[in-house]
Structure formats: C-alpha cells, structure tokens
Amino acid sequence: IRKFVVGTVADSAPIIPISAVLKYNVDLVCEYLVHKIPVPVRDFTSVPRLIVIRSFDVNKPGQDVSNLQGGVAGGSILQGVLRVGDEVEVRPGIVTKKENSEGGTTVVCSPIFSRISSLYAESNDLQYAVPGGLIGVGTRIDPTLTRADRLVGQVLGLRGKLPEVFAEIEISYYLLRRLLGVKTSDGGKQAKVQKLTKGEILMVNIGSTGTGGKVEGAKSDLAKISLTQPVCTQEGEKIALSRRVDKHWRLIGWGEIKRGKKIEVLEP
C-alpha cells in the first residue's frame, strides 16, 4: 500500500488494517478520525443553503386528510442556519418546456415555495439547524413532489436568495492521467484518459445532481457543456466529469464552473 500511494496526497497518511465484518480496529478508525482530521470551519453567517440528497413522503397509505403531512427533504446544510417557520424555496423546482416564438422549445423552471414546519437530526426535533451532518426538513410541499427521491439534486434555501439555474455551463477542467479501476485487456497499465471531443456525452456531477452533458466545444483546459436537465448552481462551483467506459461511468476528471447560460425562472 505504501508503494501504491507514494507521491500522492496520501503519501504520509496512516494505514489502519480493519475488518468491518469482525469489527476489528473500527474503534481505532474512529479515534484517528476524531484526533487527526481537523473540524472544518462552519459558515453560520451566510444565507442558508441545503443540498437535497433524498426526499420522501412520510404519509401512510390511506392517511386521513386532516393528518396529512407535507413532504420531507433530507440533506446537508452547506452554509447558514435554517429555522422552523422560515419561508423557503426549492430550485430548479418543476421543469417544463414551452414553445417560443421561433417554433423551438425553451426550458422554464418553476421553483417550489414553502415554509419549514419541522427540522430533524436523526430522531431529535430541532428549532434550528446548522451546517454539518444530515438534516431532515419537514415542509408544506405537496408530498407527490417529494416522494421517491424526486427532489434529489435540488437546492433548498431562503426565498429569493438562491443562485441562478443553468442549462449550459463553461468550465475550466483537469483530466486524470489514467482511468481508475479499469483493467486493460492485456493486464498492462491502466488506460489513459482521452481528451474531450466535441459532441460526446459525459456525466456531470454538480453538488448532489448527476446529469448528462453534451460537449459543445473543448479547448486545452476549457469546455462548454450543455446539460440535459437544468441545475441550480453558481460560478466557482466544483464539478466532477465521468465518461462511459465498458458500460460503466468512470471518473475522468474535475472542473470549475466559470460562467453559464441562465434559464428563465418563473416567479409566482
């Protein structure tokens, strides 16, 4: 293992042999996590923003109308503090296509507006939630919009304070030298990562959103990608790029959003 990680960022990292099945050394891993890794600096003062990684409908089948509860979104707060009673917005929200005057179609986003009715961490009822850990946000959103992880990849924040929604992004990117975890047919060295080509389809991960992207143009370290579904993000956000290799998506590089083409967001 030491030979494998030499020259990388994990060069001097501690190596702990463990067995999760037999529960050997799991306590040691916890100890190293607590003592060796510094707690990241939390931002409490900025405008709150939560990235949704799951969403669900907590109502049982046949629930009485008077006892119906709104949809729940689960995720991590990136910055700021959310409080019970806050008026919130979920972007991009409901995405629809409408015909424009030239005969083509344009994508339009209708954000979902609601109010926070409850906050949970594990099974603890909270009055306010801060960055770090997973938070369940109970809202008054129609449960059909949140059931079965339908809100995954969306961003929740205070009304009118969320970033723009993009359909096309321009990025500066860096490609890995070799593909990770792909065996070559002759068992030799790992395959090299080819440059981005115009027209190819990549998978782009922005926050918790995984969306398809078509490369509209690529220079040495700059590329223009049109996304199959709009994404709520901002300039300077880091993204991951994956390419399909042998029927699997493989990480080929990462990038940073420089600018993008914004989408019309309908206000109520």
Side-chain angles (χ1 to χ4, degrees), residues 21-62:
V21 178
L22 300 170
K23 299 192 170 53
Y24 293 159
N25 274 1
V26 176
D27 52 343
L28 258 174
V29 174
C30 294
E31 192 180 313
Y32 266 87
L33 285 172
V34 171
H35 292 125
K36 297 280 182 186
I37 299 175
V39 177
V41 178
R42 308 287 190 201
D43 181 358
F44 299 122
T45 53
S46 298
V47 177
R49 193 172 301 159
L50 175 133
I51 198 153
V52 180
I53 58 169
R54 35 194 314 221
S55 69
F56 29 86
D57 171 12
V58 290
N59 299 299
K60 303 258 187 315

Coordinates of all heavy atoms in Angstrom, one line a residue, residues 21-62:
V21 N -16.5 -6.7 9.2 CA -17.3 -7.9 9.5 C -17.1 -8.4 10.9 O -18.0 -8.6 11.7 CB -17.1 -9.0 8.5 CG1 -17.9 -10.3 8.8 CG2 -17.4 -8.6 7.1
L22 N -15.8 -8.5 11.3 CA -15.4 -9.0 12.6 C -15.3 -7.8 13.6 O -14.9 -8.0 14.8 CB -14.1 -9.7 12.5 CG -14.2 -11.0 11.6 CD1 -12.8 -11.6 11.4 CD2 -15.1 -12.0 12.2
K23 N -15.5 -6.6 13.1 CA -15.4 -5.4 14.0 C -14.0 -5.2 14.6 O -13.9 -4.7 15.7 CB -16.5 -5.4 15.0 CG -17.9 -5.4 14.5 CD -19.0 -5.1 15.5 CE -20.3 -4.9 14.9 NZ -20.8 -6.0 14.0
Y24 N -13.0 -5.6 13.9 CA -11.6 -5.4 14.4 C -11.2 -4.0 14.0 O -11.3 -3.6 12.8 CB -10.6 -6.4 13.8 CG -10.9 -7.8 14.3 CD1 -10.4 -8.9 13.5 CD2 -11.6 -8.1 15.4 CE1 -10.6 -10.2 13.9 CE2 -11.8 -9.4 15.8 CZ -11.3 -10.4 15.1 OH -11.5 -11.7 15.5
N25 N -10.6 -3.2 14.9 CA -10.0 -1.9 14.7 C -10.9 -0.8 14.2 O -10.5 0.3 13.8 CB -8.9 -2.0 13.6 CG -7.5 -2.4 14.3 OD1 -7.5 -2.6 15.5 ND2 -6.5 -2.5 13.5
V26 N -12.2 -1.0 14.3 CA -13.2 0.0 13.9 C -13.1 1.2 14.9 O -13.1 2.4 14.5 CB -14.6 -0.5 13.8 CG1 -15.6 0.6 13.5 CG2 -14.8 -1.6 12.7
D27 N -12.9 0.9 16.1 CA -12.7 1.9 17.1 C -11.5 2.8 16.9 O -11.4 4.0 17.1 CB -12.7 1.3 18.6 CG -11.7 0.2 18.7 OD1 -11.2 -0.3 17.6 OD2 -11.3 -0.1 19.8
L28 N -10.4 2.1 16.4 CA -9.2 2.8 16.0 C -9.4 3.8 14.9 O -8.9 4.9 14.9 CB -8.1 1.8 15.6 CG -7.0 1.5 16.7 CD1 -6.1 0.4 16.2 CD2 -6.2 2.8 17.0
V29 N -10.2 3.4 13.9 CA -10.5 4.3 12.8 C -11.3 5.6 13.3 O -10.9 6.7 13.0 CB -11.4 3.6 11.7 CG1 -11.8 4.6 10.7 CG2 -10.6 2.5 11.1
C30 N -12.2 5.3 14.2 CA -13.0 6.5 14.8 C -12.0 7.4 15.6 O -12.1 8.6 15.5 CB -14.0 5.9 15.8 SG -15.3 5.0 15.0
E31 N -11.1 6.8 16.3 CA -10.1 7.6 17.1 C -9.2 8.4 16.2 O -9.0 9.6 16.4 CB -9.2 6.6 17.9 CG -8.4 7.4 18.9 CD -7.5 6.4 19.7 OE1 -8.0 5.3 20.1 OE2 -6.3 6.6 19.8
Y32 N -8.8 7.8 15.0 CA -8.0 8.6 14.1 C -8.8 9.7 13.4 O -8.3 10.8 13.2 CB -7.4 7.7 13.0 CG -6.0 7.2 13.3 CD1 -5.9 6.0 14.1 CD2 -4.9 7.8 12.8 CE1 -4.6 5.5 14.4 CE2 -3.6 7.3 13.1 CZ -3.5 6.2 13.9 OH -2.2 5.7 14.2
L33 N -10.0 9.4 13.1 CA -10.9 10.5 12.5 C -11.1 11.7 13.5 O -11.0 12.8 13.0 CB -12.3 9.9 12.2 CG -12.4 8.9 11.0 CD1 -13.8 8.3 10.9 CD2 -12.1 9.7 9.7
V34 N -11.3 11.4 14.7 CA -11.5 12.4 15.7 C -10.2 13.2 16.0 O -10.3 14.5 16.0 CB -12.0 11.8 17.0 CG1 -12.1 12.9 18.1 CG2 -13.4 11.2 16.8
H35 N -9.1 12.5 16.1 CA -7.9 13.3 16.5 C -7.0 13.8 15.4 O -6.3 14.8 15.5 CB -7.0 12.3 17.4 CG -7.7 12.1 18.7 ND1 -7.9 10.8 19.2 CD2 -8.2 12.9 19.7 CE1 -8.5 10.9 20.4 NE2 -8.7 12.1 20.7
K36 N -7.1 13.1 14.2 CA -6.1 13.5 13.1 C -6.8 14.5 12.1 O -6.1 15.2 11.5 CB -5.7 12.2 12.4 CG -4.9 11.3 13.2 CD -3.5 11.7 13.3 CE -2.6 10.7 14.1 NZ -1.3 11.1 14.4
I37 N -8.1 14.4 12.0 CA -8.7 15.3 10.9 C -9.4 16.5 11.6 O -10.2 16.3 12.5 CB -9.8 14.5 10.2 CG1 -9.2 13.3 9.4 CG2 -10.5 15.4 9.2 CD1 -10.1 12.4 8.7
P38 N -8.9 17.7 11.2 CA -9.5 18.9 11.9 C -10.9 19.1 11.5 O -11.4 18.8 10.4 CB -8.6 20.0 11.4 CG -8.0 19.5 10.1 CD -7.9 18.0 10.2
V39 N -11.7 19.7 12.4 CA -13.1 20.0 12.1 C -13.2 21.2 11.1 O -12.5 22.2 11.3 CB -13.9 20.4 13.4 CG1 -15.3 20.8 13.1 CG2 -13.8 19.3 14.4
P40 N -13.9 21.0 10.0 CA -13.9 22.1 9.0 C -14.6 23.4 9.6 O -15.4 23.3 10.5 CB -14.7 21.5 7.9 CG -15.5 20.4 8.4 CD -14.7 19.9 9.6
V41 N -14.2 24.5 9.1 CA -14.7 25.8 9.5 C -16.2 25.9 9.0 O -16.4 25.7 7.8 CB -13.9 27.0 9.0 CG1 -14.5 28.3 9.5 CG2 -12.5 26.8 9.5
R42 N -17.1 26.1 9.9 CA -18.5 26.2 9.5 C -18.9 27.7 9.3 O -18.5 28.5 10.1 CB -19.4 25.6 10.6 CG -19.1 24.2 11.1 CD -19.4 23.2 10.1 NE -19.2 21.9 10.6 CZ -19.1 20.8 9.9 NH1 -19.1 20.9 8.6 NH2 -19.0 19.6 10.4
D43 N -19.7 27.9 8.3 CA -20.2 29.2 8.0 C -21.6 29.4 8.4 O -22.5 28.9 7.8 CB -20.0 29.4 6.4 CG -20.5 30.8 6.0 OD1 -20.9 31.6 6.8 OD2 -20.4 31.1 4.8
F44 N -21.8 30.1 9.6 CA -23.1 30.3 10.1 C -23.8 31.6 9.7 O -25.0 31.8 9.9 CB -23.0 30.4 11.7 CG -22.5 29.1 12.3 CD1 -21.4 29.1 13.1 CD2 -23.2 27.9 12.0 CE1 -20.9 27.9 13.6 CE2 -22.7 26.7 12.6 CZ -21.6 26.7 13.4
T45 N -23.0 32.5 9.1 CA -23.5 33.9 8.9 C -24.1 34.1 7.5 O -24.8 35.0 7.2 CB -22.4 34.9 9.1 OG1 -21.2 34.5 8.3 CG2 -22.0 35.0 10.5
S46 N -23.7 33.2 6.5 CA -24.1 33.4 5.1 C -25.6 33.0 5.0 O -26.2 32.5 5.9 CB -23.3 32.5 4.2 OG -22.0 32.9 4.2
V47 N -26.2 33.3 3.8 CA -27.5 32.9 3.5 C -27.6 31.4 3.5 O -26.8 30.7 2.9 CB -27.9 33.4 2.1 CG1 -29.3 33.0 1.8 CG2 -27.8 34.9 2.1
P48 N -28.6 30.8 4.2 CA -28.6 29.3 4.3 C -28.9 28.6 3.0 O -29.6 29.1 2.1 CB -29.8 29.0 5.3 CG -30.6 30.3 5.4 CD -29.7 31.4 5.0
R49 N -28.2 27.5 2.8 CA -28.4 26.7 1.6 C -28.2 25.2 1.9 O -27.2 24.8 2.5 CB -27.3 27.1 0.5 CG -27.6 26.6 -0.8 CD -26.6 27.2 -1.8 NE -26.7 28.6 -1.9 CZ -25.8 29.4 -2.3 NH1 -24.6 28.9 -2.8 NH2 -25.9 30.7 -2.3
L50 N -29.2 24.4 1.5 CA -29.2 23.0 1.8 C -29.2 22.2 0.5 O -30.0 22.5 -0.4 CB -30.4 22.6 2.7 CG -30.6 21.1 3.0 CD1 -30.8 20.9 4.5 CD2 -31.7 20.5 2.2
I51 N -28.4 21.2 0.4 CA -28.3 20.4 -0.8 C -29.1 19.2 -0.6 O -28.9 18.5 0.4 CB -26.9 20.2 -1.2 CG1 -26.7 19.8 -2.6 CG2 -26.2 19.2 -0.3 CD1 -25.3 20.1 -3.1
V52 N -30.1 18.9 -1.4 CA -31.0 17.8 -1.1 C -30.5 16.5 -1.7 O -30.1 16.4 -2.9 CB -32.4 18.0 -1.8 CG1 -33.4 16.9 -1.5 CG2 -33.0 19.3 -1.3
I53 N -30.3 15.5 -0.8 CA -29.8 14.2 -1.3 C -30.8 13.1 -1.2 O -30.6 12.0 -1.8 CB -28.5 13.7 -0.5 CG1 -28.7 13.6 1.0 CG2 -27.3 14.6 -0.8 CD1 -27.6 12.9 1.7
R54 N -31.9 13.3 -0.5 CA -33.1 12.4 -0.6 C -34.3 13.2 -0.2 O -34.3 14.2 0.5 CB -32.9 11.2 0.3 CG -32.2 11.4 1.6 CD -31.8 10.1 2.2 NE -32.9 9.1 2.2 CZ -33.2 8.3 3.1 NH1 -32.5 8.3 4.2 NH2 -34.2 7.5 3.0
S55 N -35.5 12.7 -0.7 CA -36.7 13.3 -0.3 C -37.8 12.2 -0.2 O -37.7 11.2 -1.0 CB -37.1 14.4 -1.3 OG -37.5 13.8 -2.5
F56 N -38.8 12.4 0.7 CA -39.8 11.3 0.8 C -41.1 11.8 1.3 O -41.2 13.0 1.7 CB -39.3 10.2 1.7 CG -38.3 10.6 2.8 CD1 -38.8 11.1 4.0 CD2 -37.0 10.5 2.5 CE1 -37.9 11.5 4.9 CE2 -36.1 11.0 3.5 CZ -36.5 11.5 4.7
D57 N -42.1 11.0 1.2 CA -43.5 11.2 1.6 C -43.6 10.4 2.9 O -43.5 9.2 2.8 CB -44.4 10.8 0.5 CG -45.9 10.8 0.9 OD1 -46.2 11.4 2.0 OD2 -46.7 10.3 0.2
V58 N -43.9 11.1 4.0 CA -44.0 10.3 5.3 C -45.4 9.9 5.6 O -45.6 9.2 6.7 CB -43.4 11.2 6.5 CG1 -42.0 11.4 6.4 CG2 -44.2 12.6 6.5
N59 N -46.3 10.1 4.7 CA -47.7 9.7 5.0 C -47.9 8.2 4.6 O -47.4 7.8 3.7 CB -48.7 10.6 4.1 CG -48.6 12.0 4.5 OD1 -48.8 12.4 5.6 ND2 -48.2 12.8 3.5
K60 N -48.7 7.6 5.5 CA -49.0 6.2 5.3 C -50.1 6.1 4.2 O -50.9 7.0 4.1 CB -49.5 5.5 6.5 CG -48.5 5.6 7.7 CD -47.8 4.3 7.9 CE -46.9 4.2 9.1 NZ -46.1 5.4 9.4
P61 N -50.2 5.0 3.5 CA -51.4 4.8 2.5 C -52.7 4.9 3.3 O -52.8 4.3 4.3 CB -51.2 3.5 1.9 CG -49.7 3.1 2.2 CD -49.3 3.8 3.4
G62 N -53.6 5.7 2.7 CA -54.9 5.8 3.4 C -55.0 6.8 4.5 O -55.9 6.7 5.3

